[in-house]
Amino acid sequence: MSPLDASLEVTVDGDGQRVQFTLVVENAGHDPVSVTFRDSGDADFAVLTAAGEEVWRWSDGRLFAQTLRPAEFAPGESATFEVEWPDPASGDYTAVGELRIRESEVRAETPFSV
């Protein structure tokens, strides 16, 4: 289990043309937490159908600098990562947001509908 907590908020605009994902990662512990990002893409987001099929991933087709980058979360410190899914198809989905770090899995999931 990771010492970092993650939560994911999904906002669908009024006409269903865009979906905003906001991943918040917080160190809720009493000690600093050191992490190493695998590349320059700090976080990633995916959209899954009820059957678990991936229909969209933010990082697909994107290039990231391939450099390890250390970071530290002080006690109580949080970081926010936001991306947008343009032109989503109507349906019921599960959103997944995760940090792209080496040490452990830090992720959150939430259901949503377009």
Side-chain angles (χ1 to χ4, degrees):
M1 184 165 165
S2 173
L4 298 174
D5 293 333
S7 62
L8 181 60
E9 182 180 323
V10 178
T11 305
V12 179
D13 74 359
D15 57 4
Q17 296 298 306
R18 288 182 309 279
V19 179
Q20 178 79 27
F21 302 102
T22 304
L23 176 67
V24 178
V25 177
E26 179 181 12
N27 178 359
H30 300 290
D31 298 311
V33 176
S34 296
V35 299
T36 305
F37 287 99
R38 297 186 309 235
D39 55 32
S40 64
D42 295 344
D44 202 4
F45 298 82
V47 175
L48 311 175
T49 65
E53 177 187 350
E54 188 174 291
V55 296
W56 179 82
R57 178 170 288 276
W58 176 77
S59 62
D60 280 354
R62 296 177 186 271
L63 299 175
F64 301 102
Q66 298 300 305
T67 180
L68 299 178
R69 189 170 41 83
E72 184 172 278
F73 287 82
E77 182 178 9
S78 65
T80 301
F81 307 90
E82 296 180 324
V83 300
E84 184 179 282
W85 179 24
D87 301 320
S90 296
D92 296 323
Y93 300 104
T94 297
V96 179
E98 60 189 336
L99 277 189
R100 295 168 57 106
I101 58 172
R102 296 174 56 125
E103 290 76 15
S104 62
E105 182 174 272
V106 177
R107 69 186 266 151
E109 298 183 10
T110 191
F112 73 100
S113 297
V114 176

